[in-house]
Amino acid sequence: TIAGELQRKQSNGTVTTTGITGNTTVTPGAPNGMAMVSFTVPADTDAGTYVVFESLSFNGAVIAEHADPNDLAQTFDVVQPSLSTTVTNLDDGSHVLSPEGGTMVDEVCYADLYGALSATVQGELQRRGSDGKVKPTGITGSTTFTVVDPVGCIDVDFVVPAGTGAGTYVVF
């Protein structure tokens, strides 16, 4: 049996155990070979650098180990996706909208979003009061897209009706 555990690599080079394990049973047909050990990394795993430690056992006794925290071939990063946004007026690219209403476009840029998955970005235009507190307006927008590249930008449109009122608005 080949058993492995992911270790979190710290900035000082030491590793800490994660409890994330994988194993496989092998039946060797030759003195040398290869086997795949799969690990399921939970979605809430902290971002950071991880390294795989493995051991080979036979009849319950460990007969070989690989536990090198500096082996780049056994190292990978878990990343936390990030977003940044800029909202502008569709007509002129400014951050101002006339009382007649119009469309505000929130350009949402993402980074470290991996996998060919379908994602939805949604938001709501909220009014910021003079006290700094925000209040919902009910004006929402959303865009669904397929992630093709881990870094990119998509637009979310917010159609603002005439008479919404003067003030400062922010997209959440």
Side-chain angles (χ1 to χ4, degrees), residues 3 8-9 17 41 50 66 76 99-100 102 105 110 115 120 134 143 161 166:
R8 174 124 189 238
K9 191 167 183 178
T17 185
V41 180
Y50 292 80
H66 183 267
F76 66 95
E100 289 82 35
V105 178
Y110 55 89
T120 300
V134 294
T143 299

Side-chain angles (χ1 to χ4, degrees), residues 2-161:
I2 299 175
E5 182 171 8
L6 301 184
Q7 307 286 318
R8 174 124 189 238
K9 191 167 183 178
Q10 306 301 318
S11 58
N12 65 4
T14 63
V15 294
T16 55
T17 185
T18 64
I20 301 170
T21 61
N23 65 66
T24 190
T25 301
V26 294
T27 304
N32 298 309
M34 181 182 84
M36 301 294 280
V37 179
S38 297
F39 298 87
T40 301
V41 180
D44 63 351
T45 300
D46 291 335
T49 300
Y50 292 80
V51 63
V52 179
F53 283 12
E54 293 167 314
S55 63
L56 173 63
S57 61
F58 180 72
N59 289 334
V62 174
I63 58 173
E65 287 184 298
H66 183 267
D68 180 357
N70 298 311
D71 185 345
L72 294 179
Q74 293 288 97
T75 302
F76 66 95
D77 292 320
V78 172
V79 295
Q80 182 65 43
S82 62
L83 296 175
S84 63
T85 65
T86 302
V87 65
T88 56
N89 185 320
L90 177 65
D91 292 334
D92 63 12
S94 72
H95 297 283
V96 178
L97 186 63
S98 78
E100 289 82 35
T103 300
M104 297 301 286
V105 178
D106 194 18
E107 181 185 52
V108 179
C109 295
Y110 55 89
D112 293 325
L113 193 56
Y114 291 90
L117 55 101
S118 178
T120 300
V121 176
Q122 52 192 5
E124 180 174 9
L125 196 63
Q126 298 197 10
R127 184 175 182 158
R128 184 175 14 205
S130 57
D131 60 359
K133 294 182 180 175
V134 294
K135 295 180 183 171
T137 64
I139 300 169
T140 61
S142 68
T143 299
T144 299
F145 65 104
T146 300
V147 176
V148 177
D149 198 14
V151 176
C153 297
I154 52 102
D155 291 338
V156 179
D157 293 344
F158 295 87
V159 178
V160 182

